[in-house]
Amino acid sequence: MTPPCRYCESDETRKFGKRYDGGQRFQCKTCKRTWSERKFDHPVIGRIDKAKALLAVNCLLEGCSVRSTARLTGVSKKSILRLLNRVAVRCREVMAEKMRNLDLAQIQVDELWSFIQKKQKRLRPGDPFEYGDCYTFVAIDPESKVIPCFALGKRDERTTFRFIGKLADTLGRKTRPQLSSDGFEPYIRTVADVFGNGIDYAQLMKMYHGKTDEGREHYSPSGLIASLKRVIFGNPDRGMICTSHVERSNLTFRMSMRRFTRLTNGFSKKFSNLRDAVSLHVAAYNFTRVHQTLGVTQAMEAGIVDSLWGVEDLLGLG
């Protein structure tokens, strides 16, 4: 019994050989068109074998590039990128569902530099807007080490407003949070517009030798001259004004994602690929990575989940 024609719905069909992978092909006797039987397409891993898909995701989480992951798993580069996209969609759904009504007393924010396709100074007229510098805005709770949200874009007020809006959506109303950031000026207007008087906000100003606004992509930092704590509004605890934890998380980003490794050809060629890689990293960091100091995952410490998740649980494959 052969299925009806996919095109003209005629019942006059016959088997028409095999695909290279053994799948059955059919031909319609009426319209003469051919087609193949459809394989099961999983919403997260697609048609990739489950074991290979999990191996590929773990390789990406350990800082392997897309090409090295393809070599290790035997899956093509294009399939790895499609898998990354599907997995990232799942991760963003989990983050949107779980990162709600968090009672965080302390929050630190920072921006992590990277670039897409080419560095800012190499841009030419007519290049797409997404090319050049791309910053990952990250928020972290210094107590539970959980990352409630992130945002990608240019280092400007537009991306800052989107990022602070995401942060506000994740917080509950039981605790008045204290926010610490660097001296990036758009934070002041954005935090005031989004939170109003519902937050205590302070900036930690670090002064270095030479100009700090130019050449932020330099690989060795200038010598630190001094640091200044500046209260913006509210009544923050001066002893808790700090950005060390979020700056340490930047190192975890660079070590866990090949796209953030400097002086390699593993940088992102598309904005969507960078966004997907960050989505996978943040979700896996929160739910599947056991913190060496805490002894549990960040999500468990924050009370978001009550058990340890594996990568299969995160992707809904368990």
Side-chain angles (χ1 to χ4, degrees):
M1 183 69 179
T2 56
C5 178
R6 187 178 299 175
Y7 303 99
C8 68
E9 299 183 356
S10 171
D11 293 330
E12 299 293 326
T13 59
R14 66 188 181 97
K15 292 183 179 180
F16 195 72
K18 300 279 189 178
R19 281 200 313 257
Y20 69 93
D21 58 356
Q24 182 65 55
R25 291 188 58 79
F26 301 96
Q27 184 185 45
C28 176
K29 296 180 181 179
T30 303
C31 67
K32 305 300 182 184
R33 301 182 73 173
T34 63
W35 71 95
S36 301
E37 62 180 0
R38 291 175 175 171
K39 284 188 172 182
F40 173 71
D41 196 356
H42 193 277
V44 177
I45 63 176
R47 299 179 181 179
I48 303 177
D49 178 72
K50 179 180 176 181
K52 286 189 175 183
L54 290 175
L55 176 59
V57 171
N58 281 302
C59 287
L60 294 173
L61 290 173
E62 291 299 326
C64 295
S65 66
V66 172
R67 288 179 175 84
S68 62
T69 300
R71 291 191 293 269
L72 290 169
T73 60
V75 180
S76 70
K77 174 190 167 185
K78 290 184 178 180
S79 296
I80 295 295
L81 289 173
R82 283 195 294 266
L83 174 66
L84 174 61
N85 176 257
R86 292 189 175 201
V87 167
V89 171
R90 165 69 180 178
C91 290
R92 287 193 288 270
E93 291 174 351
V94 172
M95 288 284 291
E97 177 186 354
K98 298 295 184 180
M99 296 298 169
R100 287 289 183 269
N101 298 318
L102 305 181
D103 292 318
L104 307 180
Q106 300 288 330
I107 305 169
Q108 299 177 15
V109 297
D110 196 18
E111 316 87 53
L112 177 62
W113 173 80
S114 60
F115 65 94
I116 297 173
Q117 189 68 38
K118 59 180 71 174
K119 295 181 180 178
Q120 195 71 22
K121 61 183 178 182
R122 302 293 184 187
L123 292 180
R124 297 179 179 178
D127 281 339
F129 177 75
E130 67 178 28
Y131 284 10
D133 290 350
C134 183
Y135 285 82
T136 304
F137 288 66
V138 184
I140 193 171
D141 171 24
E143 295 182 0
S144 66
K145 308 300 188 296
V146 72
I147 297 177
C149 67
F150 68 92
L152 274 72
K154 301 298 182 181
R155 194 168 183 261
D156 54 18
E157 189 165 353
R158 180 180 179 182
T159 308
T160 307
F161 186 84
R162 181 160 49 89
F163 169 61
I164 296 299
K166 285 186 175 182
L167 178 61
D169 291 338
T170 65
L171 298 179
R173 298 182 179 180
K174 295 181 180 179
T175 305
R176 181 183 176 91
Q178 176 173 324
L179 178 66
S180 300
S181 74
D182 57 16
F184 188 42
E185 194 68 22
Y187 277 130
I188 299 176
R189 297 185 295 273
T190 303
V191 172
D193 291 341
V194 174
F195 286 98
N197 296 324
I199 196 171
D200 299 319
Y201 176 43
Q203 290 185 340
L204 181 63
M205 313 284 292
K206 294 183 178 180
M207 291 166 282
Y208 298 91
H209 291 288
K211 297 182 179 180
T212 58
D213 289 335
E214 297 179 2
R216 288 179 59 88
E217 70 277 9
H218 289 176
Y219 306 124
S220 58
S222 302
L224 179 66
I225 301 175
S227 60
L228 174 65
K229 296 180 180 180
R230 182 175 67 168
V231 175
I232 305 302
F233 45 80
N235 186 28
D237 183 354
R238 297 188 66 89
M240 301 300 293
I241 301 174
C242 176
T243 58
S244 297
H245 298 86
V246 69
E247 289 171 355
R248 173 58 181 84
S249 75
N250 292 347
L251 174 62
T252 304
F253 269 70
R254 294 201 179 278
M255 294 177 65
S256 301
M257 285 180 283
R258 190 62 171 175
R259 297 169 187 276
F260 286 87
T261 305
R262 303 180 190 270
L263 300 179
T264 72
N265 63 353
F267 56 87
S268 295
K269 314 308 186 293
K270 294 181 180 180
F271 176 83
S272 58
N273 291 342
L274 178 61
R275 178 196 58 197
D276 292 343
V278 175
S279 299
L280 172 60
H281 167 75
V282 172
Y285 170 84
N286 283 333
F287 293 98
T288 70
R289 185 168 181 169
V290 177
H291 195 278
Q292 292 184 355
T293 301
L294 300 176
V296 294
T297 63
Q298 288 69 213
M300 293 174 65
E301 183 70 15
I304 301 170
V305 296
D306 55 6
S307 61
L308 176 64
W309 285 19
V311 175
E312 291 188 30
D313 301 313
L314 177 63
L315 303 185
L317 301 177

